[in-house]
Amino acid sequence: MSQTILLIGAGKIGRMIASLLHASGDYQLRIADQFPAALERIQKRLPDVETRTLNADSHAELLQLMQGCTAVISALSFRENPGVARAALEAGINYYDLTEDRQTTAAVKEIAEGAAAGQVFLPQSGLAPGFVTIVTKHVMEWFEEIDTVRMRVGALPQHPTNALAYNLTWSTDGLINEYCNPCEVIHSHHIKNHLPLEGLEQFTLDGNVYEAFNTSGGLGTLCETMHGQVRELNYKTIRYPGHHMLMKFLLQDLRLSERRALLKDVMEHAIPVTFQDVVIVFCTVRGTRNGQFVEKSDLRKLYAKEINGEIWSAIQLTTGAGICAVVDLVQQQQLTGTGLIKQEDIPFEKFITNRFGQFYESETFGLETLNSGG
């Protein structure tokens, strides 16, 4: 295949993406980041990849780095993604990102309207939004008529030791964004915005008790797609019991939702990163099939794993595998189009049989599936 991919962002998820694409042998990588130390860390593991320092706010630098590339993957904070997308449009290359931010996706969608024939823009590629959207749409296709769709995702420490029962596993900016921004849902057939941290519920899986509550962005564009076709559709983040109460205290009672930079500093100073985590993806659909009102679910529990002598967290693996699978499908021309491609437009069977998508079914990930409804 010998495609050259520009990967911008050499943090936790960026390193995973680089490792997966490099190991395939089919991609030449050009990796850019503003921090030389992050690039040096990647080069120690992957000495033959090209690395460049980059100011992602510079349109000229972005365009220069995109020369000779077929695609760009943004593993940056959501704030930088519209600028990368505008440069990709001008350079005429495909664009991918991991954002959960709704305003960012709206900006990318507008930029994608100017795409050249065959040039694609795929924001929200990863875990949630991303894979959870693809698998939920797959479950929905089993029904003749859909009533309710519930999507639940959590990246949790296997061995929680603090009062929050939580460790940092991915972007702190993204986490705070999800906890503070309005949450799009379909309620009583209408698209609405619900408040973050509301809608608290508890449920049990494998004898373990979890809680879940509204967070922003995990639905991706699914509300827009399914409007008029379902009565209820919502997304919630899974945590251990007690987490919700403490986050509500921090964000609402102490009003740290209004001082996000301070909250980020406190969290990154006090809450350690862990690579011993578990990702839970749990979607449930209710509707009509063969004249019966039935329910069908898909449950996956994915764990941290050692690959090529390095420990990768479950959130790194699932997020990295998600976006790599989508990139691979486009580069192999199994997924084609012009402009914006939504996650729900990606065929589940093509995704799950892809060499990267298969990580979601590998036994080494501790996969567990549940299908009910006959």
Side-chain angles (χ1 to χ4, degrees):
M1 204 180 299
S2 191
Q3 306 283 348
T4 300
I5 305 290
L6 172 61
L7 169 62
I8 306 178
K12 291 190 285 288
I13 305 301
R15 289 193 300 108
M16 181 79 263
I17 295 168
S19 179
L20 290 173
L21 291 179
H22 181 268
S24 74
D26 288 326
Y27 294 96
Q28 299 294 321
L29 291 177
R30 181 179 298 164
I31 304 175
D33 197 285
Q34 64 174 322
F35 299 111
L39 297 173
E40 290 170 9
R41 185 174 183 182
I42 281 186
Q43 276 211 308
K44 285 181 180 178
R45 289 283 181 177
L46 309 174
D48 56 334
V49 302
E50 178 185 357
T51 59
R52 305 273 191 91
T53 55
L54 168 71
N55 173 12
D57 293 327
S58 170
H59 186 72
E61 287 188 36
L62 286 169
L63 280 177
Q64 184 178 19
L65 280 180
M66 289 178 184
Q67 298 306 307
C69 296
T70 57
V72 57
I73 300 171
S74 175
L76 297 169
S77 169
F78 61 90
R79 297 182 185 89
E80 284 81 27
N81 286 338
V84 178
R86 281 189 286 270
L89 178 69
E90 186 173 338
I93 66 175
N94 295 331
Y95 168 88
Y96 309 86
D97 73 36
L98 300 161
T99 189
E100 77 296 326
D101 184 72
R102 291 166 54 190
Q103 290 185 335
T104 296
T105 300
V108 172
K109 180 180 179 181
E110 184 176 349
I111 292 164
E113 291 175 359
Q119 182 185 17
V120 298
F121 287 74
L122 271 148
Q124 304 181 320
S125 299
L127 171 63
F131 175 74
V132 67
T133 312
I134 298 168
V135 71
T136 300
K137 187 65 163 53
H138 174 65
V139 175
M140 285 192 283
E141 291 167 355
W142 187 78
F143 291 83
E144 295 154 4
E145 186 175 336
I146 303 165
D147 178 76
T148 304
V149 180
R150 295 190 177 105
M151 301 157 68
R152 308 290 185 262
V153 178
L156 305 167
Q158 292 187 50
H159 314 292
T161 59
N162 56 34
L164 277 174
Y166 188 72
N167 290 86
L168 296 179
T169 57
W170 63 295
S171 163
T172 311
D173 284 323
L175 178 72
I176 294 171
N177 200 42
E178 288 187 351
Y179 280 18
C180 295
N181 289 354
C183 309
E184 192 174 45
V185 303
I186 295 177
H187 178 65
S188 297
H189 302 285
H190 298 290
I191 295 179
K192 298 183 178 181
N193 281 326
H194 282 184
L195 293 174
L197 301 182
E198 297 302 314
L200 179 65
E201 64 187 33
Q202 283 200 340
F203 60 93
T204 302
L205 294 175
D206 305 326
N208 295 313
V209 179
Y210 302 97
E211 62 184 25
F213 48 86
N214 297 342
T215 52
S216 179
L219 282 172
T221 54
L222 203 54
C223 279
E224 175 188 333
T225 299
M226 297 306 298
H227 187 213
Q229 301 180 57
V230 299
R231 184 177 62 87
E232 300 284 335
L233 188 156
N234 57 64
Y235 172 94
K236 297 182 181 182
T237 286
I238 300 170
R239 294 289 184 256
Y240 293 120
H243 179 90
H244 170 266
M245 179 182 67
L246 290 175
M247 288 307 302
K248 240 187 162 181
F249 169 73
L250 292 172
L251 293 169
Q252 297 180 7
D253 293 353
L254 296 187
R255 296 173 59 181
L256 289 181
S257 62
E258 302 170 16
R259 305 175 70 186
R260 298 190 189 188
L262 174 59
L263 178 61
K264 178 182 177 180
D265 182 65
V266 168
M267 294 183 75
E268 292 187 343
H269 179 76
I271 303 175
V273 171
T274 184
F275 294 92
Q276 295 175 296
D277 64 337
V278 56
V279 165
I280 301 173
V281 182
F282 186 28
C283 64
T284 301
V285 181
R286 294 175 180 173
T288 304
R289 180 180 169 91
N290 297 328
Q292 287 185 302
F293 185 59
V294 294
E295 179 177 288
K296 185 179 176 73
S297 299
D298 188 286
L299 167 65
R300 295 162 194 262
K301 295 179 71 175
L302 307 141
Y303 294 87
K305 178 68 180 174
E306 181 177 335
I307 300 176
N308 297 327
E310 187 169 1
I311 298 293
W312 299 99
S313 69
I315 190 65
Q316 285 177 298
L317 287 165
T318 52
T319 306
I323 197 167
C324 287
V326 173
V327 170
D328 210 35
L329 289 173
V330 172
Q331 299 301 111
Q332 293 178 359
Q333 297 188 330
Q334 294 186 52
L335 184 63
T336 59
T338 295
L340 186 79
I341 296 179
K342 299 176 181 180
Q343 294 298 312
E344 55 267 32
D345 293 334
I346 300 170
F348 175 80
E349 292 301 332
K350 287 186 177 181
F351 180 96
I352 208 66
T353 56
N354 177 269
R355 53 183 163 176
F356 302 115
Q358 285 179 349
F359 279 119
Y360 277 92
E361 287 202 321
S362 170
E363 291 181 2
T364 58
F365 271 56
L367 173 66
E368 193 175 322
T369 58
L370 170 66
N371 287 299
S372 60

